[in-house]
Structures are given as structure tokens and as C-alpha cells.
Amino acid sequence: MAYQILVVDDEKLIVKGIKFSLEQDGMEVTAAYDGEEALQNIKEKNFDLVVLDVMLPKMDGLEVCQQTREFSQVPIIMVTAKGEDMDKIMGLEYGADDYITKPFNILELKARIKAILRRSVKKAPTETQEKKVLKARDLELSFDSRRVFISGKEVNLTAKEFDLLELLMENPGKVYSREKLLDTVWGYDYPGDVRTVDVHVRRLREKIEVNPSEPKYIFTKWGVGYYFN
């Protein structure tokens, strides 16, 4: 089955170019040109990934991303014409999996899309599969359902947040450098930088820690990286 991609931008020429390039790689692309149309598409269809521009009419991309996270963990790449780091980080804080800044090379965008798809698209578990669960105090992670619970209450994680937590929980006490986490979770050919890891760790702590500034699960080894306690 071809990957289903939603591309959202109010500049129709940009959408046309991305659509053509992705379709050349065998993906099926749906286009949307404003925030409300994008959100409606996400609610109605089962996409594998969304490319979402920040500056949109009717509803901006950050709002679309935030509302999407209330009902879906579909991977989202934010696209922004602004170059400030704060805008990039804000995109991730709203629940995006990655960001890219305009003007961008279409090959870089495709590399990011493919890296996320490789890590995010999982085979649905069969009913006969034994459910593999990791537990650490109040934290519980289910491999098959890709769900996480704190004290029995489900915590909504993005695909990358889950992959990151899964890796750290499977290897307690092992310190991973930011570069190693980027290579392992995002893929060795992922063109992003290590700040992506820092943002995801911070966001993960905000979701699973009682006090993110004094974590009891994910610790920082200063000057080295992160590890699970």
C-alpha cells in the first residue's frame, strides 16, 4: 500500500511541487490550502504523515497541530518561513515530530519524510501476539499497542516520543549521546540536528514526570546525553 501523505500550504505552487515529487516516489498525496480544511482531512482520513505549513488562513498550523494531537498521533512535519529557532522549537512543543524552514530543498524534505515513515509506520499486532509490556514504578509501556500509562492513566505520546521512551526503557542505565539517539530513533540519514532530541526529551518529561525539573525516569548525564533510571 502506498503511503498516504497530507500536504498543507496556502501557496498552491509549493503544494503542487511537493505533491509531484512525492508521487514520483509512489506516495499518494492529498492537498489542503487552509487550516480548517487540513483539520477536517485529518479527522476523515487515515494519513501516514502530514506536511503542515505554520502560516495558514482560517487556522494557523500550530493550532491545527495542537488540535490534531487531541485525537491523533499521526507524524507531523511543520514548515515555516521564519528562521528563528524559537519558531522551530515552538512547532515541536505543539506536538510536531519535525520541522523544516523555507526555502527548503525538496530532497531534504523527502529525506525527513522517509526517515519518519520508516520509524513510525508499525504493523498492527494480531490478537494472538503476546503483549510485551515494560514497567518502571508508575510508568508502563506497551510495545504492541504503542501506548503509555502513568499510574494507570494513558499518556498521549507522538510516534517519536514513544520510540525515544521505548529505546531508553529497554536499556536502563545506558547513557545515549544526543547524536546516538538521533541516529537510532530518527535514522542515520536524518538531516536534522541534535536540538530535536533535546526538545523531544523535554516534552517527554513534561508528559511522564511529576516534576520535569526533578525527573525520576529520564536523567541527563551532563556533557554526555540521556539515560533511563
Side-chain angles (χ1 to χ4, degrees):
M1 293 289 290
Y3 288 123
Q4 300 290 324
I5 310 295
L6 175 64
V7 178
V8 189
D9 198 309
D10 61 335
E11 296 184 52
K12 293 190 176 183
L13 281 177
I14 289 179
V15 174
K16 185 178 180 180
I18 296 173
K19 186 173 188 291
F20 176 79
S21 186
L22 295 181
E23 286 176 344
Q24 293 295 104
D25 284 1
M27 302 180 193
E28 293 185 8
V29 179
T30 300
Y33 304 102
D34 64 63
E36 291 181 359
E37 184 185 8
L39 194 60
Q40 193 61 36
N41 269 282
I42 296 169
K43 288 178 178 178
E44 293 176 354
K45 300 177 184 177
N46 186 24
F47 292 103
D48 295 302
L49 185 140
V50 178
V51 179
L52 180 62
D53 191 48
V54 171
M55 302 300 291
L56 293 170
K58 298 186 180 181
M59 182 188 298
D60 69 43
L62 294 177
E63 181 67 21
V64 173
C65 189
Q66 193 173 38
Q67 289 197 32
T68 297
R69 285 293 171 252
E70 294 175 3
F71 63 87
S72 172
Q73 299 305 315
V74 60
I76 296 174
I77 298 178
M78 301 296 296
V79 180
T80 175
K82 301 174 184 176
E84 296 86 357
D85 286 344
M86 197 59 212
D87 285 88
K88 297 175 181 178
I89 301 305
M90 279 263 307
L92 292 172
E93 293 293 356
Y94 271 78
D97 294 87
D98 196 8
Y99 63 84
I100 191 167
T101 303
K102 291 179 180 177
F104 55 81
N105 186 310
I106 188 63
L107 295 178
E108 180 184 357
L109 176 61
K110 286 167 71 170
R112 289 171 184 260
I113 289 172
K114 290 176 181 178
I116 289 177
L117 288 174
R118 277 197 300 271
R119 305 294 301 184
S120 301
V121 179
K122 306 288 183 180
K123 291 182 179 178
T126 63
E127 291 184 8
T128 57
Q129 278 182 307
E130 181 182 355
K131 289 195 174 182
K132 188 176 179 185
V133 175
L134 282 178
K135 294 182 180 180
R137 297 182 293 283
D138 299 329
L139 178 62
E140 182 177 307
L141 180 147
S142 171
F143 285 81
D144 291 341
S145 65
R146 291 179 64 82
R147 299 168 76 189
V148 172
F149 301 86
I150 292 286
S151 301
K153 184 178 180 181
E154 186 169 3
V155 179
N156 289 320
L157 301 184
T158 66
K160 281 292 172 287
E161 289 168 354
F162 184 93
D163 291 341
L164 184 59
L165 181 60
E166 177 184 3
L167 176 66
L168 294 174
M169 284 189 73
E170 279 192 297
N171 301 277
K174 180 176 180 178
V175 180
Y176 286 90
S177 69
R178 291 166 177 81
E179 291 79 9
K180 182 64 176 176
L181 288 172
L182 197 66
D183 288 348
T184 306
V185 177
W186 279 263
Y188 71 92
D189 55 352
Y190 175 73
D193 60 52
V194 294
R195 288 176 298 178
T196 299
V197 175
D198 295 331
V199 172
H200 276 74
V201 168
R202 185 168 76 249
R203 201 170 65 198
L204 195 51
R205 281 174 172 161
E206 289 170 355
K207 293 182 177 182
I208 69 172
E209 303 281 5
V210 175
N211 183 357
S213 61
E214 296 181 7
K216 65 177 183 178
Y217 294 115
I218 299 176
F219 285 77
T220 301
K221 186 78 170 179
W222 294 108
V224 184
Y226 298 103
Y227 66 98
F228 187 87
N229 182 32

